[in-house]
Amino acid sequence: MTRSSALDDHAVVDHRDPEARLRALFDAGTLRLVAPRDDSGVLAARGEIDGTPAVAYATDATRMGGALGTEGCRHVVDAIDAAVRERIPVLGLWHSGGARLAEGVVALDAVGQVFAAMVRASGRVPQISVVLGPAAGGAAYGPALTDVVVMSGAGRIFVTGPEVVRSVTGEQVDMERLGGPEPHGRRSGVVHVTTKDDETALVEARRLAALLGRQGRLSPVDVATDDPGHDLTGTMPEAANRAYDVKPVVQALLDEPGVELHAKWAPNIVTTLGRFAGRTVGVVANNPLRLGGCLDAASAEKAARFVRMCDSLGVPLVVLVDVPGYLPGLGQEWDGVVRRGAKLLHAFAEAVVPRVTLVTRKAYGGAYIAMNSRSLGATAVFAWPDAEIAVMGASAAVNVLHRKKLAATPPEEREAVRQQLVEQQIKEAGGVQRALEIGVVDDVIEPGETRRRIAEALAAAPAARGAHGNIPL
Amino acid sequence: MADEIRAEMVANVWKVVASAGDTVDEGDTLVILESMKMEIPVLAEGAGTLKQIAVNEGDVVQEGDLIAVIE
């Protein structure tokens, strides 16, 4: 049997080779090593990503499993500091067992300096991590301190590996279940983007670097409302209580499909980076398909971190609101829905980037406030004509407000009286007209003109950027 | 490997859409719950054969209760 030359090439190059990984990350022919390859366990390079200059470092898994010592850590710190000086994105490719044991505390000190460099750079330049193999101990916290973590199918992140877990607690668990794409993508929220293989992971990292590193300019005149696939008319279901997936709505809003972060973790809120009217924006959207679109502890925290990342990197926000409230229950209260929900209030209220809200269907109660309301300083708040903004749904409100009256009504007339009260309640308290009168909604807009109106509102606001880092909330 | 699908929140079981023995794909609706005045579909998280539907229409499920098992 003859083997193809591609397979021969593959056999020659170790898939862990850091130079090959960096070459695959950058545009063809643009890679330049910052320093010659050494035994430090780290290789740093410069190059272009989609034409945008960037810096990257890769741990060298062919040298002591990519373990980090003094020299290797210095390469990482230098790469990060250079990116900050030049205001360009910095990417890290991770495949490392953590600190070099043989170097002892000196290695710990060096890894700590990497963390400090990442925090210095936080909110100043985009930092993207790609986890291509096991990243343990210090190598786990490195990616976790950056803005976005991409993990390939072979990627693993954990503080302590399966052997240590077994010896300390007796628990039998493999690396994948401990820290693979499934647990980190769905349960822990450590990883923002999971991919099946290394190649796709690097493609996603490139898209993120391009979106955050070259954000473009808003161009409202280029937003045609009748573009096929971009008309938002008819995206809501007929029945008000029917669930639907908000992701196609987000896709129709954006110029082209964006990169969704944390797609499987806290899926009741969607956070997507993408191009809108030619510029990078962050979209935050309740997803009624999951948990009815309720906010809960995890989704509030997820959105809060996204909002703060966008604010710190100067990325304007578009917020699509269709929220029935905060999820009630013992589990939520004990999970810290108050503490973690407060993060979202804080994130929106402090954000200085242009941020426009659109209420597509409903916004109730505390969740209404949290979703970039007028009171939290939204640049503009729009609503579609059938939207409802209220303390609670009209039907629930009538049951509370008119409990005595309903109880006194003969049972055979009760439903008719209730219906009448509900209609009155909608008119007086929950309708979009009332929201306009008191100024919490600026304008009622048609779905078909939504893209243009949001683009104009974002463009009219002064460009600004929050003066803070992006703590991994 | 059996994949257990559990309730994400307290809810009433409004409709049972799928039945044991059905072949399902990721994203298929198995059961529709009702909570917070919203219909909330319970979706298959992977492809396989539906081994069991553990709820009936009209039941109240608590967070974490078993709804279905996919093999």
Side-chain angles (χ1 to χ4, degrees):
Chain A
M1 199 178 89
T2 54
R3 287 171 57 186
S4 75
S5 60
L7 273 175
D8 281 338
D9 286 348
H10 197 75
V12 174
V13 179
D14 187 333
H15 79 283
R16 301 171 302 167
D17 182 71
E19 192 171 336
R21 284 173 163 172
L22 289 167
R23 183 162 287 118
L25 175 70
F26 288 118
D27 294 347
T30 66
L31 175 102
R32 278 181 296 124
L33 293 181
V34 171
R37 186 141 173 207
D38 53 26
D39 286 328
S40 68
V42 173
L43 192 64
R46 293 164 166 282
E48 290 180 6
I49 292 176
D50 214 3
T52 304
V55 177
Y57 54 87
T59 59
D60 183 352
T62 67
R63 302 275 201 279
M64 300 170 68
L68 294 165
T70 317
E71 259 187 284
C73 287
R74 194 177 320 118
H75 288 319
V76 176
V77 170
D78 287 349
I80 295 170
D81 287 347
V84 171
R85 273 196 309 276
E86 296 168 39
R87 303 246 159 219
I88 57 178
V90 55
L91 298 94
L93 309 186
W94 290 88
H95 186 158
S96 164
R100 283 188 175 178
L101 283 179
E103 285 190 29
V105 179
V106 175
L108 294 181
D109 182 61
V111 170
Q113 289 179 34
V114 168
F115 297 162
M118 288 171 159
V119 175
R120 276 200 301 279
S122 181
R124 302 183 68 191
V125 295
Q127 297 186 82
I128 296 160
S129 300
V130 191
V131 180
L132 299 168
Y141 284 108
L145 281 168
T146 62
D147 299 311
V148 184
V149 183
V150 180
M151 183 184 265
S152 89
R156 309 281 181 262
I157 295 179
F158 39 72
V159 175
T160 48
E163 281 94 63
V164 177
V165 171
R166 194 173 306 128
S167 69
V168 174
T169 68
E171 203 176 2
Q172 297 271 351
V173 62
D174 61 28
M175 274 208 246
E176 186 172 359
R177 189 167 136 71
L178 193 60
E182 177 68 19
H184 284 317
R186 201 186 288 274
R187 295 177 189 280
S188 72
V190 169
V191 167
H192 296 77
V193 178
T194 57
T195 67
K196 60 182 195 317
D197 53 30
D198 290 6
E199 196 186 336
T200 330
L202 294 173
V203 167
E204 292 297 308
R206 285 172 50 84
R207 292 178 69 201
L208 286 160
L211 280 166
L212 293 171
R214 197 187 54 233
Q215 298 185 10
R217 297 174 74 95
L218 262 171
S219 177
V221 290
D222 290 342
V223 176
T225 48
D226 52 358
D227 276 357
H230 292 288
D231 187 346
L232 298 176
T233 308
T235 47
M236 294 294 118
E238 292 278 322
N241 65 343
R242 187 66 43 83
Y244 63 93
D245 190 0
V246 82
K247 289 180 192 182
V249 183
V250 173
Q251 192 155 327
L253 177 83
L254 294 170
D255 299 345
E256 57 195 37
V259 181
E260 186 182 355
L261 306 184
H262 285 138
K264 288 185 174 163
W265 180 58
N268 42 323
I269 205 156
V270 171
T271 49
T272 298
L273 283 170
R275 299 268 181 207
F276 173 72
R279 195 206 193 288
T280 301
V281 299
V283 181
V284 180
N286 307 113
N287 195 357
L289 191 63
R290 306 303 298 269
L291 291 180
C294 281
L295 279 179
D296 63 352
S299 62
E301 191 169 74
K302 163 177 160 179
R305 181 171 174 189
F306 182 77
V307 167
R308 294 194 80 253
M309 177 185 79
C310 288
D311 189 51
S312 70
L313 297 176
V315 176
L317 293 158
V318 179
V319 183
L320 303 183
V321 183
D322 185 354
V323 67
Y326 269 98
L327 187 63
L330 183 77
Q332 280 301 308
E333 300 294 347
W334 287 14
D335 214 17
V337 67
V338 175
R339 175 176 56 82
R340 295 163 81 188
K343 295 180 186 185
L344 186 55
L345 295 170
H346 193 290
F348 271 127
E350 82 173 335
V352 298
V353 287
R355 45 189 166 104
V356 173
T357 299
L358 170 71
V359 182
T360 55
R361 201 161 65 154
K362 65 185 174 309
Y364 294 157
Y368 147 76
I369 303 175
M371 291 301 291
N372 198 38
S373 60
R374 156 65 62 239
S375 41
L376 295 186
T379 303
V381 181
F382 296 128
W384 281 352
D386 294 333
E388 196 187 342
I389 296 167
V391 175
M392 59 176 84
S395 181
V398 162
N399 290 343
V400 175
L401 295 170
H402 300 285
R403 186 182 301 149
K404 284 181 185 161
K405 183 173 179 179
L406 285 169
T409 309
E412 63 274 15
E413 293 168 28
R414 201 170 285 159
E415 200 39 46
V417 171
R418 226 182 70 84
Q419 269 313 315
Q420 199 186 340
L421 288 168
V422 167
E423 273 162 39
Q424 195 182 334
Q425 176 72 18
I426 289 173
K427 208 181 296 172
E428 285 174 5
V432 74
Q433 205 53 40
R434 178 76 185 130
L436 266 175
E437 281 164 22
I438 58 177
V440 298
V441 166
D442 297 308
D443 210 351
V444 176
I445 63 175
E446 292 297 327
E449 59 174 347
T450 297
R451 266 169 53 85
R452 181 175 57 79
R453 294 296 301 273
I454 293 178
E456 285 169 358
L458 287 175
R465 181 170 174 176
H468 56 79
N470 175 27
I471 188 171
L473 283 181
Chain B
M1 198 183 82
D3 196 7
E4 293 183 345
I5 294 172
R6 294 179 176 275
E8 291 179 321
M9 65 195 298
V10 181
N12 299 308
V13 178
W14 184 55
K15 269 185 188 164
V16 175
V17 181
S19 343
D22 287 1
T23 306
V24 294
D25 273 331
E26 180 170 357
D28 283 0
T29 301
L30 307 177
V31 168
I32 301 176
L33 304 177
E34 190 274 318
S35 186
M36 299 290 288
K37 308 284 174 207
M38 290 289 296
E39 294 171 13
I40 298 169
V42 176
L43 311 176
E45 286 176 8
T49 305
L50 196 54
K51 195 183 169 203
Q52 183 197 356
I53 290 267
V55 294
N56 296 304
E57 289 178 8
D59 287 358
V60 175
V61 289
Q62 303 292 323
E63 184 184 339
D65 283 0
L66 184 68
I67 289 186
V69 180
I70 296 175
E71 265 188 334

